[in-house]
């Protein structure tokens, strides 16, 4: 018997069906071991020896694999065809070796698609484990561990509020922070454009001013309204005729099929997917056999796939859309271990697979791959220049005509920043023609700062710089979000205060290790290991030799010394020159003390040197120094008429708030963002302090309805039920009738009652074998089929609308063959019965505890 080990159960199920009798296919459910999240898991003094520990939640899978391996003649390791897949296979082999369950014959097979021909072909060509890939994995894992477990403690002790640092994570964060700094120092420049709305033979078009008073007009030439108005009058007064018409042919070639990074970029642009979501959906499509492997740097396609694509193009369009020769694309990636075949459909006859996000991503992959083998688009670009009688003023109109769409008939690549005036069509014109001038406009513009990074543009930038690798981009971006170093607003990354401070700390004390060139160079060294051109231990030694002493040096500094160094380093950003010769550090509250960076238990902030006499403070990431830039201490708003206690407005860690009285019994209330600052006074403060407000008794239950402001905003509450309000004003103005209606609407919109009957999405008819009616239903975890006895969930890549009775019956049969769901097994009573045995009872429980080690963190410490 041959035991085949793969990563996922979905993959295992499909492959076992392809291989047939004599094979047993089991899933490892991903990685089975990792470095424990504790000191000493990597020992630099002992050749970087690593202490691996199995995941506690993988014990059952490893036992099943070991039990089967003991009776197997051959072990076939069929995990994914990349570095991580090679590592999983190596870990499984090492675990079985320790358990003395490793068969004599161990084979490694890889396939780029989970289709029967690909799997059977791979099984016929086994190989040994790739030692170079395993070494590259060990080097990366050790590097990430050493950076994370050496640098993070330095951050925790020297920079309150910091959470972690990582080898690639910190460099990606620096990109985001650097872009934010560019935006902040950017000074917009005014400029004007002058354009004429023209018409020729009933066809309107626009022409912009490109020459004025004999001088060429660039974008920034006209810099004020006076010049713009003068230019506008000259254009209005002139009679413009066509001086030249220039037509140039243009050819646009299709982009290559997707790599991992280009798929993430395009899915972000066109579908709004995050990188991690794109990879999850692509993984499902791959495991269902719909697409080839989704972690790749390669742009080439297999010869048979190219032939299939050309055939599909000929069937869909006419012969002119198929180029004379197949298109061949070359991989530019340096790390050949990830340069597998490009991401493409496994079957070009299927233009649709699955439903929802799976269908949308598959369609994108299908169109891109098919378009890559289509004919080039042929266009014609026309430039028309019009001059007035003096020849001193000139207008220009540009346009583009698609003569033959080619691949554009199917697919056009997205862009991060849209806008192309050349794409407009122009009417036919010849020299001497004098189009009618309908209107002339002068528009004011301002230069714009560089845009913040989106997930697509950040992945693109990281790829350009050689930072990270395709398989790591999604996890890097997710880590930055999980650590709350960045936020996403309108799909753009904005660094948080903590992210900016961590980046500043690393730039000041570990500049080399967050530099783009160094990180890219280290990635190349790791690629050299995977290619057999470098030894993994020597690469680690070279890194550790400089890195360890640097961390020791910083750790020996006092927190106050670190803060002082950061204060000096960040001075130009925190206290920018005002341009009037005044001291940018002068305290705006007392006008005597000087501002500087301070460290506190909740992170860094700006404070006055005259503390405690002057209590002026400002948030770390709040640039400036004006009167409104900080908190000069409590502001007395007046006295509460009911208690006589003082009401003050204050600023805290989570923003402004009001306080009634002093001491630990003082009552506090946050000031919502939608309360206008100019109207805020004692009246608003007392209203906020009085919450919750009782609207009245509910007419049906007699229980009180209250209105208040919580963590997620304003709301109504009644008998354990809640309803959202739209604004702070609603908290104080909502009456009984409106409150009852809102609570009723919230209750009605809370979903179906548990156990409520659901209408089937489709009824297929009786099961041919049992006679029971087969239905398609919508469930909590997606669509499923049922015959009243067995429920079978549809694979994520299966389109529910395309499901047939035969397919539904097959799904039910496969589900029934597996037996009852795990949740229905009553294992607990059996364990209780076993505990009654005298032998087991005499064994002290304490002796068993060491075996139940805490599972190592599955997230990579510092990619």
């Amino acid at each position: 018997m041959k035991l085949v080990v793969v990563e996922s159960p979905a993959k295992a199920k499909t492959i076992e069906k392809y291989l047939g009798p004599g094979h047993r296919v089991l899933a490892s459910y991903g990685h089975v071991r990792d470095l424990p999240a504790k000191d000493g898991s990597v020992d630099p003094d002992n050749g970087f020896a690593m202490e691996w520990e199995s995941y506690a939640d993988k014990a059952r899978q490893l036992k099943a694999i070991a039990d089967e391996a003991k009776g197997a003649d051959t072990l076939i390791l069929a995990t994914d065809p990349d570095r991580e897949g090679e590592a999983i296979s190596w870990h499984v082999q090492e675990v079985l070796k320790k358990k003395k369950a490793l068969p004599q014959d161990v084979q490694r097979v890889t396939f780029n698609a989970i289709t029967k021909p690909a799997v059977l072909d791979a099984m016929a060509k086994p190989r040994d484990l790739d030692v170079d890939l395993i070494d590259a994995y060990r080097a990366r894992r050790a590097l990430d561990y050493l950076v994370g477990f050496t640098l993070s403690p330095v951050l925790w002790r020297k920079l309150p509020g910091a959470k972690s640092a990582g080898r690639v994570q910190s460099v990606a964060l620096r990109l985001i922070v650097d872009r934010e700094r560019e935006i902040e120092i950017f000074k917009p420049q005014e400029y004007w454009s002058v354009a004429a709305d023209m018409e020729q033979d009933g066809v309107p078009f626009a022409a912009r001013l490109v020459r004025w008073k004999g001088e060429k007009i660039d974008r920034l030439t006209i810099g004020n309204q006076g010049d713009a108005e003068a230019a506008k009058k000259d254009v209005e007064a002139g009679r413009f005729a066509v001086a030249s018409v220039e037509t140039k042919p243009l050819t646009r070639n299709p982009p290559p099929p997707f790599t991992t990074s280009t798929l993430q970029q395009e899915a972000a642009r066109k579908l709004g997917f995050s990188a991690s979501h794109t990879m999850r959906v692509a993984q499902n499509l791959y495991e269902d056999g719909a697409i080839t492997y989704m972690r790749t740097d390669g742009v080439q396609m297999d010869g048979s796939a190219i032939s299939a694509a050309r055939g599909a193009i000929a069937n869909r369009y006419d012969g002119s859309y198929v180029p004379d020769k197949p298109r061949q694309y070359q991989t530019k990636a340096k790390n050949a271990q990830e340069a597998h075949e490009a991401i493409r459909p496994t079957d070009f006859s299927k233009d649709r697979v699955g439903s929802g996000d799976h269908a949308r991503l598959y369609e994108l992959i299908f169109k891109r791959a098919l378009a890559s083998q289509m004919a080039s688009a042929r266009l014609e670009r026309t430039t028309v220049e019009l001059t007035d009688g003096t020849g001193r003023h000139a207008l220009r109109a540009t346009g583009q005509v698609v003569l033959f769409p080619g691949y554009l008939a199917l697919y056009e690549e997205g862009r991060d920043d849209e806008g192309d005036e050349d794409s407009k069509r122009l009417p036919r014109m010849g020299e001497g023609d004098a189009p009618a001038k309908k209107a002339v406009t002068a528009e004011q513009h301002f230069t714009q700062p560089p845009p913040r990074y989106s997930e697509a543009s950040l992945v693109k930038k990281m790829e350009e710089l050689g930072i990270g690798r395709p398989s790591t981009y999604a996890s890097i971006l997710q880590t930055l979000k999980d650590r709350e170093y960045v936020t996403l607003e309108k799909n753009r990354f904005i660094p948080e205060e903590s992210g900016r401070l961590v980046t500043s700390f690393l730039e000041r004390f570990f500049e080399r290790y967050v530099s783009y060139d160094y990180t890219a160079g280290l990635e190349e060294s790791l690629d050299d290991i995977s290619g057999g051109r470098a030894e993994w231990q020597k690469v680690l030694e070279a890194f550790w030799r400089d890195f360890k002493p640097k961390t020791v040096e910083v750790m020996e500094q006092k927190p106050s010394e670190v803060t002082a160094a950061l204060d000096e380093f960040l001075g130009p950003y925190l206290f920018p020159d005002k341009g009037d010769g005044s001291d940018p550090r002068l305290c705006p509250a007392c006008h005597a003390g000087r501002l500087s960076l301070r460290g506190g238990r909740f992170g860094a902030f700006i404070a006055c040197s005259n503390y405690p006499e002057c209590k002026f403070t400002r948030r770390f990431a709040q640039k400036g120094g004006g009167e409104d830039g900080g908190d000069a201490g409590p502001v007395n708003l007046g006295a509460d008429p009911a208690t006589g206690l003082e009401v003050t407005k204050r600023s805290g860690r989570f923003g402004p708030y009001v306080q009634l009285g002093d001491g630990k019994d003082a009552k506090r209330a946050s000031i919502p963002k939608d309360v206008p600052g100019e109207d805020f006074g004692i009246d608003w403060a007392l209203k906020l302090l009085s919450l919750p407000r009782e609207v009245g008794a509910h007419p049906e239950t007699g229980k009180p309805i209250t209105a208040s402001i919580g963590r997620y905003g304003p709301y109504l509450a009644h008998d354990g039920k809640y309803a959202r309000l739209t604004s702070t004003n609603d908290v104080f103005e909502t009456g009984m009738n409106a409150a009852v209606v809102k609570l009723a609407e919230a209750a009605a919109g809370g979903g179906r009652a548990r156990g409520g009957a659901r209408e089937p999405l489709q009824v297929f008819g009786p099961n041919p074998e049992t006679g029971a009616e087969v239905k398609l239903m919508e469930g909590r975890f997606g669509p499923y089929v049922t015959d009243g006895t067995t429920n079978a969930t549809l694979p994520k890549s299966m389109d529910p609308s395309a499901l047939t009775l035969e397919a539904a019956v097959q799904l039910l049969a496969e589900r029934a063959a597996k037996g009852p769901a795990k949740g229905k097994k009553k294992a607990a009573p059996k364990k209780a019965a076993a505990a009654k045995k005298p032998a087991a009872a005499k064994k002290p429980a304490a002796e068993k505890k060491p075996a139940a080690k805490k599972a190592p963190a599955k997230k990579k410490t510092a990619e």
Side-chain angles (χ1 to χ4, degrees):
M1 189 269 289
K2 294 182 178 181
L3 172 62
V4 182
V5 177
V6 296
E7 294 97 334
S8 76
K11 191 174 173 182
K13 175 183 171 183
T14 304
I15 292 173
E16 190 163 60
K17 187 168 60 177
Y18 292 155
L19 297 178
H23 294 83
R24 181 81 171 98
V25 185
L26 294 178
S28 69
Y29 289 80
H31 274 283
V32 296
R33 298 195 308 177
D34 199 4
L35 297 172
K38 63 179 183 180
D39 289 333
S41 294
V42 178
D43 186 359
D45 299 327
N46 188 24
F48 296 93
M50 301 182 206
E51 176 191 317
W52 301 98
E53 183 175 282
S54 298
Y55 291 130
D57 61 354
K58 296 297 175 66
R60 184 176 176 184
Q61 281 79 31
L62 288 174
K63 182 179 185 305
I65 291 170
D67 289 346
E68 289 287 346
K70 288 174 183 176
D73 304 316
T74 302
L75 172 65
I76 301 175
L77 300 165
T79 48
D80 288 340
D82 61 358
R83 184 185 62 247
E84 293 299 309
E86 206 73 18
I88 292 171
S89 286
W90 174 70
H91 279 304
V92 170
Q93 177 180 273
E94 292 298 301
V95 169
L96 292 179
K97 197 181 291 182
K98 282 188 176 182
K99 291 177 177 285
K100 297 182 179 179
L102 189 68
Q104 285 271 338
D105 185 18
V106 179
Q107 300 174 358
R108 172 78 169 114
V109 300
T110 58
F111 34 81
N112 198 45
I114 305 177
T115 61
K116 191 170 184 177
V119 171
L120 294 180
D121 184 58
M123 291 294 173
K125 300 172 183 176
R127 62 168 173 82
D128 293 330
L129 282 170
D130 190 323
V131 176
D132 292 332
L133 279 187
I134 295 166
D135 286 347
Y137 161 78
R138 291 199 286 182
R140 283 180 181 273
R141 196 66 198 89
L143 264 178
D144 294 337
Y145 172 90
L146 290 171
V147 170
F149 278 84
T150 308
L151 189 52
S152 293
V154 177
L155 281 175
W156 299 334
R157 295 177 191 177
K158 306 301 178 184
L159 205 64
K163 295 183 179 178
S164 72
R167 182 176 63 86
V168 182
Q169 160 201 324
S170 299
V171 183
L173 178 60
R174 182 183 177 183
L175 277 172
I176 296 169
V177 171
D178 280 352
R179 176 55 55 89
E180 197 69 19
R181 290 169 179 163
E182 290 179 54
I183 294 169
E184 287 168 346
I185 64 172
F186 180 83
K187 294 182 179 178
Q189 186 175 344
E190 179 185 11
Y191 69 97
W192 290 72
S193 64
V194 178
D197 293 333
M198 315 286 282
E199 187 177 289
Q200 174 77 5
D201 297 331
V203 180
F205 66 96
R208 58 187 173 85
L209 183 66
V210 293
R211 190 167 69 248
W212 182 44
K213 295 181 179 179
E215 298 292 329
K216 182 182 177 183
I217 299 293
D218 291 322
R219 189 174 69 138
L220 302 178
T221 301
I222 303 176
N224 58 69
Q225 187 174 2
D227 287 348
E229 290 297 334
K232 177 184 175 183
K233 286 180 180 178
D234 287 342
V235 174
E236 288 174 333
R239 182 181 180 279
F240 289 82
V242 176
S244 66
V245 179
E246 185 180 10
T247 301
K248 289 183 178 179
L250 182 68
T251 301
R252 284 177 61 182
N253 295 319
F258 283 128
T259 61
T260 302
S261 63
T262 55
L263 176 63
Q264 291 174 1
Q265 293 169 44
E266 196 75 338
R269 294 187 195 107
K270 291 192 170 181
L271 306 179
F273 289 1
S274 67
S276 55
H277 183 62
T278 297
M279 296 312 292
R280 277 194 300 271
V281 176
Q283 178 86 35
N284 291 333
L285 290 171
Y286 165 68
E287 289 177 354
D288 288 334
I291 63 170
T292 52
Y293 192 56
M294 67 286 163
R295 291 189 179 89
T296 175
D297 276 343
V299 292
Q300 68 278 6
M301 289 203 305
D302 180 73
S304 61
I306 292 176
S307 299
R310 288 169 64 86
I313 295 165
N315 290 336
R316 181 180 281 226
Y317 305 97
D318 60 48
S320 61
Y321 286 82
V322 183
D324 295 335
K325 294 181 180 178
R327 294 188 182 275
Q328 301 292 340
Y329 297 94
Q330 296 300 317
T331 300
K332 298 177 183 178
K334 296 177 183 178
N335 53 329
Q337 63 91 12
E338 287 185 350
H340 311 294
E341 190 181 359
I343 304 169
R344 63 165 176 84
T346 55
D347 185 351
F348 277 99
S349 68
K350 293 181 180 178
D351 59 0
R352 182 177 173 81
V353 166
S355 60
D357 287 351
H358 293 78
R360 295 170 69 201
L361 189 65
Y362 178 83
E363 182 182 29
L364 195 66
I365 294 168
F366 175 87
K367 286 184 175 181
R368 175 85 167 220
L370 196 64
S372 72
Q373 289 300 319
M374 291 177 70
S376 300
R378 296 197 308 276
L379 305 95
E380 188 177 78
R381 179 171 292 166
T382 302
T383 303
V384 178
E385 190 139 325
L386 305 98
T387 57
D388 69 344
T390 67
R392 300 184 69 212
H393 312 313
L395 301 172
R396 181 177 296 157
T398 56
Q400 193 168 276
V401 177
V402 177
L403 302 177
F404 173 68
Y407 79 93
L408 292 176
L410 177 66
Y411 178 85
E412 185 164 10
E413 190 171 24
R415 292 179 293 178
D416 290 314
D417 299 295
E418 299 294 335
D420 184 6
E421 64 176 18
D422 290 349
S423 62
K424 298 171 184 175
R425 296 195 64 166
L426 293 177
R428 188 173 294 278
M429 288 181 279
E431 289 187 26
D433 287 347
K437 186 168 53 192
K438 297 295 184 181
V440 180
T441 58
E443 290 187 9
Q444 183 187 37
H445 310 275
F446 291 92
T447 53
Q448 297 297 310
R452 291 186 174 105
Y453 285 112
S454 62
E455 287 213 2
S457 59
L458 184 59
V459 166
K460 185 178 181 180
K461 186 67 176 178
M462 291 171 67
E463 187 178 36
E464 288 173 357
L465 294 173
I467 296 168
R469 285 297 176 254
S471 59
T472 65
Y473 291 148
S475 61
I476 290 167
L477 301 189
Q478 191 60 48
T479 298
L480 293 179
K481 289 184 275 189
D482 291 345
R483 297 283 186 274
E484 297 180 342
Y485 284 155
V486 298
T487 55
L488 268 178
E489 284 188 18
K490 297 180 180 177
N491 292 322
R492 298 280 174 169
F493 284 108
I494 301 175
E496 291 282 17
E497 287 184 24
S498 56
R500 298 188 71 136
L501 191 59
V502 165
T503 298
S504 300
F505 175 84
L506 295 175
E507 285 178 311
R508 171 60 181 81
F509 295 102
F510 295 92
E511 199 281 331
R512 179 187 185 190
Y513 301 100
V514 289
S515 73
Y516 304 135
D517 290 342
Y518 178 80
T519 305
L522 193 55
E523 288 289 350
E524 289 184 6
S525 297
L526 293 168
D527 291 342
D528 288 340
I529 297 171
S530 66
R533 300 180 296 276
E535 293 181 27
W536 70 277
Q537 286 161 316
K538 288 185 178 179
V539 171
L540 290 177
E541 283 169 7
F543 170 82
W544 189 247
R545 187 168 52 244
D546 298 326
F547 181 72
K548 179 59 177 176
K550 186 66 178 176
T551 59
V552 172
E553 175 193 323
V554 177
M555 188 66 92
E556 289 174 350
Q557 294 192 38
K558 297 177 182 177
S560 58
E561 294 173 338
V562 171
T563 303
L566 285 176
D567 178 67
E568 181 183 354
F569 179 76
L570 291 167
Y573 160 69
L574 295 174
F575 314 106
D577 188 351
K578 296 180 179 181
D580 58 3
S582 62
D583 183 2
R585 288 181 179 257
L586 186 67
C587 177
C590 68
H591 303 287
R594 300 191 79 237
L595 302 180
S596 61
L597 185 69
R598 301 283 181 87
R601 59 182 297 195
F602 298 119
F605 62 98
I606 310 300
C608 178
S609 59
N610 280 344
Y611 180 84
E613 288 77 15
C614 178
K615 293 184 172 60
F616 178 87
T617 59
R618 195 177 79 213
R619 288 164 53 193
F620 159 73
Q622 188 173 331
K623 193 178 66 167
E627 296 292 339
D628 298 329
D631 173 34
V635 176
N636 193 341
L637 298 177
D640 176 19
T643 64
L645 294 173
E646 187 179 77
V647 179
T648 53
K649 179 183 176 184
R650 302 168 180 247
S651 183
R653 182 188 174 200
F654 300 107
Y657 65 96
V658 288
Q659 179 171 309
L660 176 64
D662 284 306
K664 61 181 182 180
D665 296 327
K667 187 172 183 180
R668 299 174 181 86
S670 295
I671 302 175
K673 291 181 180 179
D674 63 345
V675 174
E678 64 273 13
D679 295 339
F680 195 86
I682 186 67
D683 293 336
W684 259 111
L686 292 173
K687 285 164 70 174
L688 293 171
L689 288 164
S690 69
L691 294 177
R693 162 184 168 251
E694 186 169 324
V695 179
H698 195 289
E700 294 178 6
T701 66
K703 295 182 179 180
I705 299 175
T706 58
S708 193
I709 301 171
R711 181 181 178 187
Y712 301 107
Y715 67 94
L716 290 168
H718 165 254
D719 195 22
K721 303 292 190 298
Y722 301 89
R724 285 188 179 182
L725 294 173
T726 56
S727 69
T728 301
N729 276 326
D730 287 349
V731 175
F732 302 101
E733 296 173 2
T734 300
M736 177 60 70
N737 291 339
V740 171
V741 170
K742 285 183 179 292
L743 287 164
E745 288 175 348
R752 293 187 186 93
R754 282 195 165 186
R758 291 189 174 119
E759 289 295 319
L761 300 177
Q762 188 175 348
V763 177
F764 295 105
N767 186 324
E769 296 178 8
T770 65
E773 190 171 58
V774 179
K775 302 175 184 178
L776 175 66
M777 306 291 290
E778 182 64 53
R780 181 182 175 189
F781 302 106
Y784 66 95
V785 289
T786 181
D787 60 2
T789 303
T790 303
N791 296 341
T793 303
L794 268 63
K796 290 180 179 178
S797 61
M798 183 178 286
D799 184 0
S801 62
L803 189 67
T804 62
L805 174 62
E806 291 74 17
V809 169
Q810 184 179 349
L811 287 171
L812 290 168
E814 290 172 355
R815 182 66 192 87
K818 292 181 180 179
K822 293 176 184 177
K824 294 179 182 177
K825 293 180 181 178
K826 297 185 178 180
K830 290 182 181 178
K831 288 182 180 177
K836 293 179 183 178
K837 293 179 181 179
K842 290 177 183 177
K843 201 79 172 176
E847 290 181 18
K848 288 191 174 182
K849 285 185 178 177
K853 291 183 180 178
K854 183 179 178 182
K858 293 185 187 179
K859 289 184 180 178
K860 292 185 180 178
T861 307
E863 248 296 4

